Amino acid sequence: MDRRRFLKTATLGSAGATGLAAPAIAQENPQISWRMTSSFPKSLDTIYGGGADVAQYVREATDGAFDIQVFAGGEIVPGLQAADAVQNGTVEMCHTAAYYYVGKSPTWALGGVIPYGLNNRGMNAWLYYGGGLDQLNEFYGKNGLHYLPAGNTGAQMGGWFRNEINSLADMEGLQMRIGGLAGRVMERVGVVPQQVAGGDIYPSLERGTIDAAEWVGPYDDQKLGFYQVAPYYYYPGWWEGNLTLCCFVNQEQWDGLPDRYKALLQSASRAANTEMMAEYDYKNPTALRELVQNGAQLRRYPDEVLNATYDAAMELYSELRESEPDWGPIYDSMMAFQAEHFLWQQVSESTFAQFMQAKQSAGELPAQQQ
């Protein structure tokens, strides 16, 4: 895809100027310079790349007139303060994960992911066609922010453990690096959630300060070498059936943009959303294979653990409906679509996937026959 041409066309068309040549319109584009702070280091190239892609697409589509400089986590503010920096006007926008800010309100998590929520395709469908984007922007707008989905990791892995988990009893007292709503769910089944910065996870596992840690998935996890100190690699990451990354834009700055620049940011964010998922889907299989070759031991969470954490999550959500006035309407909309989404998934998508996975396991795919 020629993204530059696509984004220009999308932007000009939305501005009602499809009959004008792109260079003529580009000359009319006002010069705007913004800063975007990321929650991620450049070393996590795929997840950091979501924000960088948005900035690149916008810059190219406007011939540099709308220039967004991207700064890695820590260069302007710490990664977990990215949204705060946008709210207070330190920067115009950020690239982050909305669930980092559940300390403000648990409702923030709904723009990222919640335990036992939607998968990547379901989240995008709900956001773009099920009214989710409008509902979330109504909520984030109260906090001075405009929300643009801009990346997805897909379903994540379920963490690295020093010892095997054979039953729910093995979770009791476990010191695990996990936060947000997932930490609150884990706490209800006996786990002791711990907040540990990414760079401190490996030494904490090595020393036994923590017993387990969740991160992202094979491609990102491989870089940190967890398999050397916590070899049991569990799946699925039930607390992150997807993770929607996003750009938050300062609401006043958003309102002040020309309509064609707003349309361009929306188109660029959608492109980045697709790009990140495709990149993870391409990179994760190779990384997973290499991790196993180097000693990682794949384990599926026991059904007892999955059922107990599911029940704990549903109990938590019922409580949040009572205590958080903004939670109920957005959550109910998401869950109503979730029921329809997984109904459709099991009819054709899952059936096809299961059949092809069985062929892969049997070594019967074309590439396996060569």
Side-chain angles (χ1 to χ4, degrees), residues 86-87 98 107-108 110-112 123 126-128 130-150 246-252 254-255 262 265-266 269-270 326 329-330 333:
V86 180
Q87 286 178 299
T107 306
W108 282 71
L110 292 168
M123 186 70 171
W126 175 70
L127 285 171
Y128 295 132
L133 195 55
D134 291 337
Q135 286 184 292
L136 288 168
N137 265 316
E138 182 179 350
F139 168 71
Y140 294 125
K142 298 176 185 177
N143 294 275
L145 299 172
H146 187 80
Y147 166 84
L148 297 167
C246 69
C247 288
F248 282 128
V249 181
N250 179 280
Q251 189 67 56
E252 290 185 7
W254 174 262
D255 291 341
K262 290 179 182 177
L265 268 176
Q266 290 169 333
S269 297
R270 283 197 181 209
D326 292 312
I330 305 174
S333 171

Side-chain angles (χ1 to χ4, degrees), residues 141-346:
K142 298 176 185 177
N143 294 275
L145 299 172
H146 187 80
Y147 166 84
L148 297 167
N152 204 299
T153 66
Q156 296 191 11
M157 291 292 284
W160 297 87
F161 290 74
R162 287 162 53 89
N163 298 298
E164 285 193 78
I165 302 298
N166 295 309
S167 68
L168 187 61
D170 292 332
M171 304 289 283
E172 185 68 35
L174 204 71
Q175 304 280 330
M176 183 173 184
R177 187 268 185 192
I178 190 168
L181 296 185
R184 293 175 64 173
V185 172
M186 281 289 202
E187 197 169 24
R188 292 171 183 242
V189 297
V191 173
V192 182
Q194 300 292 329
Q195 298 294 322
V196 181
D200 296 328
I201 297 175
Y202 184 98
S204 296
L205 285 168
E206 187 176 35
R207 293 193 302 266
T209 307
I210 58 175
D211 304 301
E214 63 86 27
W215 192 233
V216 183
Y219 179 70
D220 290 325
D221 293 12
Q222 184 182 36
K223 298 177 182 180
L224 300 182
F226 296 145
Y227 65 90
Q228 299 176 61
V229 289
Y232 299 104
Y233 198 19
Y234 273 83
Y235 65 91
W238 46 264
W239 52 90
E240 288 176 294
N242 85 97
L243 171 56
T244 299
L245 288 307
C246 69
C247 288
F248 282 128
V249 181
N250 179 280
Q251 189 67 56
E252 290 185 7
Q253 295 289 337
W254 174 262
D255 291 341
L257 282 178
D259 287 345
R260 59 184 176 273
Y261 279 7
K262 290 179 182 177
L264 176 55
L265 268 176
Q266 290 169 333
S267 297
S269 297
R270 283 197 181 209
N273 202 17
T274 301
E275 185 81 9
M276 185 185 294
M277 189 69 261
E279 190 170 355
Y280 271 120
D281 278 341
Y282 185 79
K283 292 178 175 178
N284 275 330
T286 299
L288 182 62
R289 188 179 299 277
E290 291 174 351
L291 282 167
V292 171
Q293 290 172 348
N294 286 320
Q297 299 186 45
L298 291 177
R299 295 289 188 274
R300 182 185 182 277
Y301 273 115
D303 285 342
E304 183 184 15
V305 172
L306 294 175
N307 285 318
T309 51
Y310 180 87
D311 291 344
M314 298 306 113
E315 180 182 76
L316 173 62
Y317 301 154
S318 293
E319 294 171 7
L320 292 177
R321 181 181 281 103
E322 299 299 320
S323 63
E324 300 290 330
D326 292 312
W327 173 274
I330 305 174
Y331 172 78
D332 290 344
S333 171
M334 180 187 287
M335 292 301 101
F337 177 69
Q338 183 195 60
E340 295 299 304
H341 175 66
F342 284 118
L343 172 65
W344 162 236
Q345 289 272 298
Q346 67 182 297

Side-chain angles (χ1 to χ4, degrees), residues 1-8 56-57 60-61 271 275:
M1 179 198 300
D2 185 339
R3 295 187 184 87
R4 182 176 180 182
R5 181 179 178 186
F6 165 75
L7 292 170
K8 277 190 175 182
Q56 177 187 342
Y57 301 160
E60 291 181 349
E275 185 81 9

